[in-house]
Amino acid sequence: MASPSKDLCTLCKEDNVTTDAVTWCTECDVFLCVECEKHHRRSRTSKDHKTISAENYHGLPSFIKATSNLCKIHGKKFELYCSFHACACCVHCTTDKHQSCQTMKPLPEILKQVKSSAAVCLLEKDVKDLNENFDDIMEYLRKRISTNANRKTEAIQSIRSMRKSIDDHLNKLEQQLLKDLETKHSKLKSKLETLLHQVDKRAKQIRKLQNEFSNMTKYATDLQTYVGLKEIEKVTSQEGNYIEDLKRGTDLNERNLHLTTSPDLDSILLDVKSFGEITVDTRPYNGLANERRNNQAQQLVPIPTIDQIKPSFSNTLKVPEGQGKRFFDCCILSDGNCLVLDAVRKSLLMFRNDGTFIRSIVSFIELPDSVCFVKDRTVAVSFYNACEVALVDIGKSLVDRNFNFPTEQCSGVSSDGQVLVIAMPSNRNVTVMNLLDESKQILKGIYEHHVSLVKGNIIGVNFLNNTISCYKLSGEMLWTFKHIDIVEPIGSALDKNGFIYVACRKSNKIVVVSHDGKSCRTILNQDNGIKTPQSIDIDVKSGIMLVISLAEDVDSVLFKL
């Protein structure tokens, strides 16, 4: 393998001098030799420039090396950032293409915290998740290859076993038929041979009598001939009667061996067109991949820090007169409409995201506990005491399917459209159910009352222990968090940036927890109208957050993040 060519100093090369470069200036986009680097560091215009070794420069991805600090059109340094077009600009770009843009900001202000922002951690997690997903899929494919090789071996053995069974069975039937043939042939042969022996014996006597008759007529006296004729007449009469009896009887009936093969054997030749059939049994892939964040990697603007989250009041749910306000849980649909579980009337209610009431979806016999969006027009509702979960078609306003879990009281539910995660705190378990084949995996020892399934992880809240925990779908705990502001956490939701919002019923607060479970901040409290919050959900598209209250004298509130 040929060694890579050496990097030459850009400045020396301009003077027609070839000098090996040792560093790369990220600001000037040039290679520098030892001497030029010294002058570069001493110059007032470039002393603050960041340089990296030439070796580290070549370790950068090609798209990073292709990214310049200079505008390709005007050759000027990027100094501004257009939020509308999401691109860096030089001063000349503002007059050429961005005259009408009102969202120009200084680029250093945008970039000053980019490496310390949450975007770096989240993108790092995205890359890690992608690697894990590819590793899982490759391992799955290797297992499928191995499994199919084993299935092929088993199929060959099964084919040969079936063939041997058929051969053994046909051989057995053949031996039985040959034995029967031999038996019948022996009996028939014996009977014919016995009859032949009897006829042959009588025939010999007649031939002897014929010779004796000839001699008698030649040499006997008349008296002897007279007596002999009488005797011969008697014998011929007897033998004639014997022949007549043979002809009239059944002993001379023609008896022939005849073989008739079983019609079942004929059907094998006619009806059995193949020895079998090889098919490929296709089943859905059950692997649970970590979800990607939509378009997050393309955002240049840093993700807000936890201290920058400041929700503003938007509206309240306008509950119709005569309708109680004692709600248990809520979820926001993909179209932005909100669903609320009415604990008084055991029904599912729908509101618009401006708070106006739409209609009652369906009423239940049992008391509902939790609700979550699944996919399309389907939501899942859990029933704690009934130990079951129902899938509700909100378009048709009916229960589509029921899943029973005997002795497993079902609390919080969450779904990503492929699996359903159900908290079962009475048994300190969480059940993960595949919605395609309804197969179940029980994650033992996970004691949570409410769960949220986001980005391939389970966020669980325990209102008895006042903890927020994060688990992999395999059940492995990633972290757990506890804080003085978090008292009786009863519901949780995540925003588009990965922050976890927790409804704390006893402390009357909405607390935001960082995605790594290391810090938190109270963003809403009683001063903002928060009292006994029972549930929370967030529409990541619109940034609308719904907080419902267990108290009937308190409105459920919509906020804008």
Side-chain angles (χ1 to χ4, degrees):
M1 183 176 180
S3 59
S5 59
K6 292 183 178 181
D7 299 309
L8 300 179
C9 176
T10 306
L11 301 183
C12 291
K13 193 175 181 180
E14 292 175 353
D15 295 332
N16 295 321
V17 177
T18 57
T19 311
D20 292 341
V22 292
T23 58
W24 167 267
C25 177
T26 61
E27 301 287 335
C28 301
D29 289 346
V30 295
F31 283 110
L32 300 172
C33 64
V34 175
E35 291 299 322
C36 290
E37 183 188 19
K38 291 180 181 178
H39 293 295
H40 186 268
R41 287 201 306 265
R42 292 170 184 166
S43 173
R44 282 183 292 179
T45 58
S46 60
K47 65 178 181 178
D48 294 327
H49 289 191
K50 181 182 178 181
T51 60
I52 60 175
S53 69
E55 181 181 359
N56 289 339
Y57 169 79
H58 287 295
L60 293 173
S62 58
F63 68 88
I64 294 295
K65 290 188 286 187
T67 303
S68 174
N69 291 316
L70 302 177
C71 176
K72 292 182 179 180
I73 300 175
H74 304 102
K76 299 295 182 179
K77 186 176 180 180
F78 289 128
E79 296 180 359
L80 300 170
Y81 179 79
C82 177
S83 299
F84 180 78
H85 291 99
C87 67
C89 311
C90 70
V91 290
H92 293 299
C93 291
T94 58
T95 58
D96 286 355
K97 294 184 179 181
H98 302 273
Q99 290 181 352
S100 60
C101 297
Q102 303 296 321
T103 55
M104 304 295 289
K105 295 182 181 180
L107 185 61
E109 180 182 330
I110 297 296
L111 299 179
K112 64 181 179 181
Q113 294 181 341
V114 67
K115 287 192 175 182
S116 61
S117 69
V120 174
C121 296
L122 291 175
L123 189 56
E124 182 181 17
K125 182 180 182 301
D126 285 347
V127 175
K128 179 182 176 183
D129 288 344
L130 285 173
N131 277 324
E132 291 178 353
N133 287 336
F134 279 118
D135 289 342
D136 290 343
I137 291 174
M138 288 190 294
E139 180 63 23
Y140 166 77
L141 292 175
R142 292 189 186 100
K143 288 182 178 179
R144 295 311 311 153
I145 292 172
S146 176
T147 299
N148 283 321
N150 293 334
R151 291 288 178 85
K152 177 187 174 183
T153 302
E154 293 172 0
I156 292 173
Q157 292 174 348
S158 179
I159 292 170
R160 290 175 177 171
S161 176
M162 177 57 71
R163 176 60 184 267
K164 185 177 183 304
S165 298
I166 294 173
D167 289 345
D168 290 345
H169 184 64
L170 290 177
N171 288 335
K172 181 180 178 182
L173 295 179
E174 179 188 19
Q175 292 302 317
Q176 290 176 350
L177 186 60
L178 290 174
K179 184 178 179 181
D180 187 42
L181 175 62
E182 182 64 30
T183 301
K184 285 184 169 57
H185 176 263
S186 297
K187 288 182 179 180
L188 183 59
K189 179 182 178 183
S190 175
K191 189 172 182 179
L192 290 174
E193 286 179 342
T194 300
L195 181 60
L196 178 61
H197 178 71
Q198 293 174 356
V199 172
D200 182 58
K201 182 179 179 181
R202 288 177 179 270
K204 288 178 180 180
Q205 291 177 351
I206 294 299
R207 284 194 294 270
K208 180 181 177 182
L209 182 63
Q210 187 178 13
N211 291 332
E212 290 176 347
F213 180 79
S214 177
N215 290 331
M216 181 189 71
T217 56
K218 289 180 179 181
Y219 307 113
T221 64
D222 291 339
L223 178 59
Q224 288 175 331
T225 300
Y226 175 79
V227 174
L229 290 174
K230 292 290 185 181
E231 186 64 28
I232 291 173
E233 182 182 6
K234 179 181 177 181
V235 172
T236 55
S237 177
Q238 288 177 348
E239 294 306 318
N241 291 335
Y242 174 75
I243 290 175
E244 291 296 328
D245 289 341
L246 277 179
K247 291 180 178 182
R248 285 194 300 266
T250 60
D251 289 343
L252 291 182
N253 287 351
E254 186 174 332
R255 291 179 174 86
N256 296 317
L257 288 171
H258 178 72
L259 172 64
T260 303
T261 56
S262 171
D264 293 335
L265 294 176
D266 294 334
S267 69
I268 292 177
L269 299 175
L270 296 174
D271 299 336
V272 179
K273 303 300 183 183
S274 67
F275 200 86
E277 182 182 6
I278 305 299
T279 59
V280 178
D281 182 16
T282 303
R283 297 182 180 180
Y285 172 58
N286 293 328
L288 303 174
N290 295 328
E291 292 186 354
R292 296 176 60 247
R293 293 175 296 110
N294 294 329
N295 302 324
Q296 197 66 60
Q298 287 73 33
Q299 293 184 3
L300 179 62
V301 180
I303 294 174
T305 64
I306 199 169
D307 294 325
Q308 294 174 308
I309 299 175
K310 297 178 181 180
S312 58
F313 173 80
S314 176
N315 226 314
T316 60
L317 293 188
K318 300 171 181 61
V319 182
E321 291 186 10
Q323 179 81 43
K325 294 183 180 181
R326 191 165 180 265
F327 300 142
F328 268 5
D329 199 12
C330 67
C331 73
I332 301 179
L333 304 175
S334 57
D335 60 6
N337 289 334
C338 309
L339 294 182
V340 175
L341 283 180
D342 182 352
V344 177
R345 289 172 173 76
K346 301 178 183 177
S347 58
L348 187 62
L349 310 178
M350 180 183 288
F351 295 82
R352 292 188 179 86
N353 59 11
D354 61 0
T356 57
F357 177 74
I358 300 177
R359 63 188 176 96
S360 175
I361 303 296
V362 65
S363 296
F364 307 104
I365 298 175
E366 302 292 339
L367 181 65
D369 185 88
S370 180
V371 62
C372 75
F373 175 69
V374 178
K375 63 179 179 179
D376 301 329
R377 301 290 290 173
T378 303
V379 297
V381 179
S382 67
F383 301 87
Y384 186 83
N385 293 324
C387 301
E388 69 176 18
V389 174
L391 292 185
V392 178
D393 187 326
I394 58 178
K396 298 179 181 179
S397 297
L398 54 80
V399 175
D400 184 45
R401 278 189 288 171
N402 282 296
F403 306 110
N404 295 313
F405 301 88
T407 72
E408 298 277 0
Q409 293 170 316
C410 303
S411 185
V413 290
S414 186
S415 177
D416 62 359
Q418 295 179 332
V419 299
L420 190 65
V421 179
I422 309 155
M424 298 174 172
S426 59
N427 291 335
R428 295 176 180 265
N429 294 332
V430 166
T431 295
V432 179
M433 185 178 74
N434 191 309
L435 290 171
L436 292 175
D437 57 11
E438 298 182 15
S439 59
K440 302 177 184 66
Q441 179 186 7
I442 299 177
L443 309 181
K444 296 183 178 180
I446 300 183
Y447 183 30
E448 306 294 346
H449 297 89
H450 185 276
V451 289
S452 296
L453 176 59
V454 183
K455 301 175 184 175
N457 291 331
I458 300 173
I459 304 296
V461 296
N462 185 310
F463 70 82
L464 295 180
N465 297 334
N466 298 324
T467 55
I468 314 299
S469 303
C470 181
Y471 306 86
K472 289 185 177 180
L473 267 178
S474 60
E476 176 188 350
M477 177 182 283
L478 298 176
W479 53 261
T480 187
F481 181 76
K482 196 170 186 177
H483 191 271
I484 190 172
D485 286 353
I486 301 175
V487 185
E488 284 195 9
I490 193 63
S492 65
L494 277 78
D495 67 8
K496 65 179 180 180
N497 297 319
F499 291 114
I500 304 163
Y501 293 66
V502 184
C504 303
R505 186 166 61 188
K506 191 170 183 178
S507 56
N508 299 313
K509 294 178 179 179
I510 302 299
V511 178
V512 178
V513 179
S514 60
H515 61 87
D516 56 4
K518 293 182 178 180
S519 61
C520 74
R521 173 174 164 264
T522 297
I523 58 171
L524 295 170
N525 53 32
Q526 283 184 285
D527 294 338
N528 309 107
I530 302 299
K531 181 180 179 182
T532 61
Q534 175 70 13
S535 179
I536 186 172
D537 201 14
I538 295 173
D539 181 8
V540 295
K541 295 179 182 179
S542 64
I544 293 295
M545 178 175 69
L546 171 61
V547 180
I548 67 169
S549 175
L550 187 64
E552 292 195 54
D553 59 339
V554 178
D555 289 327
S556 294
V557 191
L558 292 158
F559 294 91
K560 179 68 176 179
L561 296 176

